[in-house]
Amino acid sequence: MEPKKILLHDDELPKQWYNISADIKMNPPLGPDGKPISPESLAPVFPMNLIEQEVSTQRWIDIPDEVKKVLLMWRPTPLVRAYQLEKALGTPAKIFFKNESVSPPGSHKPNTAVPQAYYNKIFGIKRIVTETGAGQWGSALSFACSQFGLECKIFMVRVSFDQKPYRKSLMNVWGGKCIASPSNETKTGRDVLEKDPNCPGSLGIAISEAIEATISDTTGSTRYSLGSVLNHVLLHQTIIGLEAKKQLEIIGEYPDVIIGCAGGGSNFAGLAFPFVLDKVNGKQIAIYPVEPQGCPTLTKGPFVYDHGDTAGYTPLLPMFSLGHTFMPPPFHAGGLRYHGMAPTVSQLADEGLIHPLAVSQLDAYEAGILAARTEGIIPAPETNHAIAAVIAEAQKAKEEGKAKTILFNWSGHGFLDLAAYDKYFSKELKNVLMSESELLAATKICESYPKPLRLKNR
Amino acid sequence: MEPKKILLHDDELPKQWYNISADIKMNPPLGPDGKPISPESLAPVFPMNLIEQEVSTQRWIDIPDEVKKVLLMWRPTPLVRAYQLEKALGTPAKIFFKNESVSPPGSHKPNTAVPQAYYNKIFGIKRIVTETGAGQWGSALSFACSQFGLECKIFMVRVSFDQKPYRKSLMNVWGGKCIASPSNETKTGRDVLEKDPNCPGSLGIAISEAIEATISDTTGSTRYSLGSVLNHVLLHQTIIGLEAKKQLEIIGEYPDVIIGCAGGGSNFAGLAFPFVLDKVNGKQIAIYPVEPQGCPTLTKGPFVYDHGDTAGYTPLLPMFSLGHTFMPPPFHAGGLRYHGMAPTVSQLADEGLIHPLAVSQLDAYEAGILAARTEGIIPAPETNHAIAAVIAEAQKAKEEGKAKTILFNWSGHGFLDLAAYDKYFSKELKNVLMSESELLAATKICESYPKPLRLKNR
C-alpha cells in the first residue's frame, strides 16, 4: 500500500521562500499622484525589512533560523492522500492535500504571521495592529506575537466577531486583544457607524481601521501587518507548495490540477506559485483559485488599480476588484469576504495562467461534510470552497476515465466554525449570490479607476 | 540543533498493541453473585471479539490492517520537544510530549474508537451507543463510526452538553446523534430527573443510560462502547507509548518521569503502560497519573470493588473509587469527572508502581495558558492537569539542578473549550475541591463494598 501521508522531517524544512516577483513582470503599486510609490512611503505602516521583501525581485529568500525554529512547531505539514474521499467518489483521480490545519491556530496563516512578527521584532517594533475576517489571521498573528514577545491588537470584522465568539477567546489565550470592526476607536470606524450603526463590517473597513490605529501612534513603535494580498505575505506562504513539491517527488507524482480557495489569495498562492514557474516554462497544469459566488472578485470583477482598504489608505494595487467600497454579504467564510485579490494572483488570472472558479455556499458546505466524513478533518468554511472544486474535478475525471493527480490546500480546520455547520443542517444556510444589479454597480464604480497595463509572462 | 519534532513514517506505525494483562496479576471482575463473571455474560453489551480482547492475557495483539488504514490518517503522532516551555521555565529538564491533539476529533480517544468501531462492524453490529463526558469520546466514536458506516448515538453529560454546545455540532458533522444525559429516553435517566430535574449529570449516569439503551434493543444489532476504564480500551491506547518509545530511541533518550492526566485512565495508561513493564523489571521511572482535586479518585478514594456506572449495570470492578453514586462537581474538565479509575491503573497505584497526584482547577488553567503561549497548542482542560504536574516537576528539576527527561501526554486540544478559558480570564473560574465531609461520606459508602485482594507484581 502506498502511504496515507508523506512526511518530511525537521531537517527537510525548506530553507528559502520562493519569490514569484523574480519570474513575472508586474504593474507597480501607485501612489495618490498616479505614480509608482517609493518603498520609503510605506515606512510608517511596515518595518523596512518587510518592505524590502515586498519589493524584492530576488528569486529565493532565506528563511531566518529564528523563524524556522517556530515554523518547526508544526511544519513541514503532512501531504495526505485522500484515499477515503477518492473511494466515496469512485474516481480514478488521485487526490492529495496539504494539511495546513495542523498549525497551532489551525490554518496556513501562521506561515506568514511568524516571519512578520520576527521581522517586526528585530526592527525594534513593540506592537502589531491588524485586521481579521474569519478570525484565522488574527489568531495566527496573536500566536506569532506570543512567540516573539510582541503586543498584538486585532480589528475583527463584526459579522465574524458575532458569529464566532470563540475566535476572540483564542486570541486572548495567546495574549492578543481583539475588538469588533467597525469600532469607535478610529475615524474610519466612527464614519461607517454613523451611516450604518448595524454595519456587519468588511475586511476593507477593518484594514482601514488597523492602518489608522498604526499610523496614529506617534511613538514609532507600532506597525501594521496584513494577512494576505501583498507580495511578502504570499512569499512566506510558498513554503506550502515547496514542501508539497518535495513530498510529491518522494512518491514520483506531479499534479495535473492544483486547487486552493482564494479570498485575498495567500493560501492559494502558497500552494500554487512554486508550480506556476513550471507552467510559465511550458508544463501542462490546470491551476484553479476558487472563490465564493457571494464575492466573485476574480470571476466577475474587472482588473483595475484599486485600494486594498475601504478608506483608501493603501496604495493603488493592480488587481481584480469589486471596488474598495463594496460590502460583501455576510456569508460564512469570512476569510473570502474581500473586495480585491492579491496583485500577483490577479496578474496570473489576467493572462490566463490560472483559471478562477466560483462555487455556491451550499455546494461548499455539502462538499465539506463529505470531506469530514471521509478524510476526518472538519474543514474551515473557506476550505470547503476548494473541496467543492476538487470534487467536481474528481467527478469530471471519472466521466472522462482519466487518472488525474489533483493537489489541493486544506487551508484550515473548522473547529471554531461549527455554528455554521449547525445552520447548514438546520437548512438556515442559504446560497448568497451577488445580484446582477449589485455587480453592475460595482463594475460601474471600478470603470473610473486607473487601468493596469496588459502584461504577458508566457 | 536537535529536532523540535521526532516523526515516524506510516510504515513505522506499531503493528501490535501491548497488553499489560500479560504482565501483571489482576483481581477479576465480579458478577452480582460476588463470583468472577464469565466472558459470555458481557455478550449483550459488547461484541464477542472485543470481549476476547478484554479478557486476553496475550502480551502482543495484532492491529488489523483496516484499523491501521484509519489510524494512519493522523498516526504516528509527533513526539515534540517542548523547547519553548523549557526556556520559559528556565529548567534543565528536557520536556517531551506526544501530541495526540492532531487526530481529527482532536484527542487520543479515536485510538480506541476506531478499533472498537471496526470490531463491532465485523461482528455484524449496525449501531453503537455510548456516553461522553467532555465530548472528546463521543466525537471520537462519531468519527470512527463514520469511517465504518455505523450509526452512533451518544449520551452526553448535561453539564458538558451545556458548557460545550459545539461538541454536539461536531458529532453531527460526522453523522452521530448526541443527547443530554440524564435524559427521558431511559429508566435510569427518568429516575434521576425525578429526584433532581436540574441534575448536571455524571459519567456514571450517562454510562447507565447508554447500557440500558443498548440492551433494550432486542434486535441484537446494537452494542455499547466505552471510552476508558476497561482493559481493551487501555490496550488500544498503548500505541501512544509504543510510538513514544521508538521516537525517544531515535534520539537516544529514555524518560525519568512520565505524566498523564487521569479520569478513567486511558490516555495516561496509553502513554505509561509500555514503560511500566520496564519498571516492573527494575528500571527507575517515576510515573504520575494526575487527577483533579474536584474528583480525587486515586489520591483520596479507597481501593474497592465497585460498579463502573451509577445504576449498577456493569460488573464490579477492582478500582479506586469515590462510590458509583458519587456526583462530581461541575468543573471544566469533563473527561476527568469520573468516580472510578481503570482497574489496571488502580492495581498499579495500589502497589506503588505509579504515584497519583491531584492538582487544582486554577493551577491547571494557569499551566495550560503558559503552555499555549510557549508551545502554541491550546490544551484541552484535561491536558492542563498533566501540564501543571509537568511544570511542577520541571521546577523541581531546576531546584535540584537535575537534567531530568520528562515525557507527558498532550491528550487533546481545547478549541471547543474556549468558554472555560474565557471564565478563567474573567476570574469566574474557581477551584473546586471535594470537602472533608463529602469525602467522608463517599468513603463510608465504599466501606460496604467488597475488597480486592492485595496483589504484588514487583
Side-chain angles (χ1 to χ4, degrees), chain B residues 2 4 48 86-87 96 110 163 234 239 291 355 388 442 449:
Chain B
E2 277 194 41
K4 173 71 183 165
M48 194 48 77
E86 289 171 18
K87 194 177 163 195
F96 293 90
Q163 283 170 352
L234 275 56
I239 197 165
E291 56 185 19
H355 296 93
Y449 298 164

Side-chain angles (χ1 to χ4, degrees), chain B residues 152-168:
Chain B
C152 184
K153 182 169 183 172
I154 305 108
F155 290 88
M156 182 167 183
V157 177
R158 180 172 294 278
V159 58
S160 294
F161 188 90
D162 293 339
Q163 283 170 352
K164 309 181 181 186
Y166 295 126
R167 276 284 167 194
K168 180 189 168 187

Side-chain angles (χ1 to χ4, degrees), chain A residues 1-10 12 69-76 80 84 102-106 143 146-147 163 165-170 172-176 368-369 372-378 413 415-416 418-419 421-422 425, chain B residues 1-10 12 69-76 80 84 102-106 143 146-147 163 165-170 172-176 368-369 372-378 413 415-416 418-419 421-422 425:
Chain A
M1 193 171 80
E2 276 194 40
K4 172 72 184 165
K5 306 179 299 300
I6 297 96
L7 303 178
L8 299 174
H9 289 293
D10 281 18
E12 297 170 292
K69 263 187 206 169
V70 180
L71 294 180
L72 284 171
M73 291 167 78
W74 74 97
R75 302 207 73 86
V80 184
Q84 282 91 333
V102 299
S103 75
F143 157 71
S146 77
Q147 287 292 313
Q163 283 170 351
Y166 295 126
R167 276 284 166 193
K168 179 188 169 187
S169 321
L170 185 56
N172 283 344
V173 175
W174 284 310
I369 289 162
R373 290 184 182 176
T374 50
E375 295 302 317
I377 308 158
I378 309 290
H413 66 61
F415 280 118
L416 296 174
L418 287 163
Y421 282 93
D422 281 351
F425 286 119
Chain B
M1 193 171 81
E2 277 194 41
K4 173 71 183 165
K5 305 178 301 299
I6 298 95
L7 303 178
L8 299 174
H9 289 292
D10 281 18
E12 296 170 293
K69 264 188 204 168
V70 180
L71 294 180
L72 285 170
M73 292 167 78
W74 73 97
R75 301 209 73 87
V80 183
Q84 282 91 335
V102 298
S103 76
F143 157 70
S146 77
Q147 287 291 313
Q163 283 170 352
Y166 295 126
R167 276 284 167 194
K168 180 189 168 187
S169 322
L170 185 56
N172 283 343
V173 175
W174 284 310
I369 289 162
R373 291 184 179 174
T374 50
E375 295 302 318
I377 308 158
I378 309 291
H413 66 60
F415 280 118
L416 295 174
L418 288 162
Y421 283 92
D422 281 352
F425 286 119

Side-chain angles (χ1 to χ4, degrees), chain B residues 345-362:
Chain B
V345 173
S346 294
Q347 177 59 41
L348 298 175
D350 182 57
E351 56 181 295
L353 280 164
I354 61 177
H355 296 93
L357 303 173
V359 305
S360 78
Q361 177 154 267
L362 291 180

